[in-house]
Amino acid sequence: DVFYRELPKVELHAHLNGSVSFQTIEKLIRRKPQLNIEHSMTAIGKGQRRTLDECFQVFKVIHQLVDSEEDILMVAKDVIKEFAADGVKYLELRSTPREEIPTGLTKRRYIETVIQAIQQCKEEGVDIDVRFLVAIDRRNGSQVAMETVQLAEEFLLSSDGLVTGIDLSGDPTVGHGRDLLSALQRAKNSGLKLSLHLSEVPSQHDETDLLLNIPPDRIGHGTFLHPEMGGSQGLVDKVVQKRIPLELCLTSNVKGQTVQCYSEHHFKYWYQMGHPVVICTDDKGVFATDLSQEYKMAATTFGLGREAVWKLSQQAIDYIFAPDSVKEQLKQKWSDLQPQEF
Ligand code: 5GP
C-alpha cells in the first residue's frame, strides 16, 4: 500500500541477523553451500507460526551463515538499504557481537564492521540515519554482559555518535535479570541508553520489576506487563509513571505465539491509554515482514485512520536514542513530507 510505504518511519527495534532478507540469505547460501541450509530454515512464512523456542533455533541457523567480517558488512548494508527502501528515515539496529574463531572475527571487529556498513551507506547517499545498539544475549551471563558494556562504552566515545546504547535480548526463558543488573546499571551510568526486552514471556514479573528500577529508556515487547495478560497493575504503574516507551512488534509476537492473534496484541492496551508506543519489526527477515506492513496491520486491526498513523510514526521521533538536534532534523523532514490532507 503506497500510503504506508511513503509514510516516513522510525524503526527502533530491529535485530541485525533477524532482519536479513530472502535475497541476502540467497547470497549467503551461495557463499556457503556446504552448510545445506534452505530458506525454510531461516524464515517463518505467511500464516506459519512457531514456538518462541523454535524461533531461537532459526537465529542459530542464520548465525552459521553470517560468521565473517565480509558477511556482516554485506548483511548490514543490505538491511540498511532495505529499511531505507521501505521509507524508514531513522533506524536503530541492534546486534550481539560474536567472536568466530574459524574466520578470525572478534567482538570488537564485529562492532567496527557494523559501523563501517553504516558509514558506507551514508557515503553512498542512502537516505536514512542509522545508529547501533550493542546487544547483550542474556544466555551468556553476567561476565559477558559486563565485557559487552565495557566494549560499548569505548564505542560510545569513539564512534561519532553511531553507538548509542545497549539492548538486552536473547531467549527470555534462560537466565535471570538479577545477574545482569550491575552491567546494565554501569551502562546507564556511563551514558549508554538502555532498551531491555521485558516480560516477553509470562512469569518474569520479579525480573521486570527489578530492571524497571534502573530504569530502562525503552522496553522491548512488554507483552505480559499488564493485568489482562497476567502481569500486574504495579508493573503498569511503574512504566506509566516513568513514561517508558514500548517497542511493539505485532507480527513477531503473533508468529512467535506469545500473542494469540493480531486483535489481541497489547498495542491496544497501551495505545488506548495514550502511553508512548513505537511500531517495530523485530526481525523482518525471520518473520517475513517490513515496517510498512506492520503499520498497516496496526491500522487495519485497531481502526486507525491515516492521520492517527501519521502521528504514530511522528511521535516515535521523541523516543530515539540520538541527540535533540537529530530529533529536530527528523521533525523537519516529517513536516516537509506531511500531506496537505489525509
Ligand atoms: P543478532 O543479535 O545476532 O544480530 O540477532 C539475532 C539475535 O537477536 C538472537 O540470537 C537473539 O539473541 C536476539 N533476538 C532476536 N529476536 C528476538 C526476540 O524476539 N526476542 C528476544 N528476546 N531476542 C531476540
Side-chain angles (χ1 to χ4, degrees):
D1 210 278
V2 182
F3 171 76
Y4 294 97
R5 194 150 315 274
E6 288 184 351
L7 175 73
K9 292 173 288 292
V10 167
E11 169 65 81
L12 300 182
H13 189 130
H15 299 271
L16 178 60
N17 285 296
S19 300
V20 188
S21 65
F22 185 95
Q23 291 76 9
T24 306
I25 291 283
E26 194 74 28
K27 292 192 271 182
L28 291 162
I29 288 176
R30 261 187 264 127
R31 280 186 184 181
K32 298 185 176 69
Q34 72 282 5
L35 291 175
N36 283 320
I37 291 170
E38 293 166 21
H39 283 289
S40 61
M41 298 155 77
T42 64
I44 304 168
K46 214 176 156 128
Q48 287 184 328
R49 297 174 126 215
R50 306 269 175 95
T51 63
L52 206 55
D53 196 47
E54 287 166 333
C55 293
F56 283 98
Q57 297 302 321
V58 174
F59 298 123
K60 287 194 184 143
V61 176
I62 298 171
H63 285 161
Q64 285 182 275
L65 284 170
V66 183
D67 71 345
S68 68
E69 269 178 50
E70 200 189 355
D71 296 336
I72 291 163
L73 186 69
M74 177 179 82
V75 161
K77 287 183 74 177
D78 283 3
V79 165
I80 290 168
K81 288 175 187 176
E82 288 154 5
F83 273 115
D86 188 39
V88 173
K89 302 297 178 196
Y90 176 91
L91 163 67
E92 282 175 18
L93 269 181
R94 53 185 76 191
S95 194
T96 325
R98 260 180 300 137
E99 178 186 66
E100 294 284 355
I101 291 160
T103 66
L105 182 66
T106 63
K107 292 185 181 184
R108 185 181 299 276
R109 279 305 293 157
Y110 189 106
I111 299 175
E112 285 169 353
T113 306
V114 177
I115 291 173
Q116 210 182 331
I118 297 172
Q119 286 166 337
Q120 287 185 15
C121 286
K122 200 171 178 180
E123 283 157 18
E124 291 172 28
V126 185
D127 179 25
I128 189 170
D129 187 336
V130 187
R131 310 284 158 151
F132 184 50
L133 310 183
V134 181
I136 294 173
D137 185 337
R138 50 185 294 143
R139 173 184 290 277
N140 298 329
S142 60
Q143 196 185 333
V144 171
M146 191 58 91
E147 287 163 10
T148 307
V149 168
Q150 285 166 356
L151 201 52
E153 282 172 356
E154 289 180 36
F155 283 100
L156 179 66
L157 299 174
S158 68
S159 67
D160 256 335
L162 295 184
V163 171
T164 58
I166 289 283
D167 153 64
L168 173 65
S169 56
D171 189 341
T173 63
V174 180
H176 195 286
R178 78 172 83 81
D179 301 323
L180 310 167
L181 186 62
S182 56
L184 296 172
Q185 263 161 346
R186 177 181 165 140
K188 179 100 187 172
N189 291 336
S190 44
L192 287 158
K193 300 281 187 186
L194 292 186
S195 169
L196 309 182
H197 284 61
L198 292 182
S199 289
E200 193 179 357
V201 293
S203 67
Q204 283 187 302
H205 307 328
D206 292 350
E207 175 184 290
T208 298
D209 194 49
L210 184 72
L211 297 182
L212 280 176
N213 292 336
I214 301 178
D217 299 283
R218 292 196 312 253
I219 294 170
H221 304 298
T223 314
F224 295 89
L225 278 169
H226 61 288
E228 288 162 40
M229 287 292 272
S232 76
Q233 194 57 45
L235 289 177
V236 172
D237 290 345
K238 261 193 189 178
V239 173
V240 171
Q241 272 161 20
K242 299 179 203 265
R243 226 178 143 70
I244 309 174
L246 268 72
E247 303 153 356
L248 301 179
C249 314
L250 277 69
T251 298
S252 162
N253 296 154
V254 170
K255 286 194 172 179
Q257 297 184 341
T258 53
V259 169
Q260 280 311 304
C261 56
Y262 284 99
S263 59
E264 296 203 358
H265 196 276
H266 49 295
F267 171 87
K268 189 176 174 186
Y269 178 90
W270 296 95
Y271 183 76
Q272 279 182 345
M273 208 197 296
H275 188 79
V277 293
V278 185
I279 301 275
C280 302
T281 53
D282 204 5
D283 299 289
K284 73 173 180 60
V286 171
F287 297 116
T289 187
D290 59 33
L291 195 53
S292 306
Q293 278 188 59
E294 294 302 300
Y295 268 92
K296 187 177 176 194
M297 191 50 98
T300 51
T301 307
F302 302 106
L304 312 184
R306 291 191 167 186
E307 196 166 357
V309 171
W310 186 273
K311 271 205 178 122
L312 194 58
S313 91
Q314 192 172 37
Q315 277 164 3
I317 298 169
D318 290 325
Y319 316 126
I320 68 172
F321 290 168
D324 287 344
S325 56
V326 177
K327 292 181 187 172
E328 291 314 315
Q329 283 165 19
L330 290 169
K331 283 178 185 167
Q332 187 60 50
K333 200 167 247 184
W334 259 247
S335 80
D336 292 346
L337 292 167
Q338 181 161 353
Q340 302 253 302
E341 53 188 281
F342 286 98

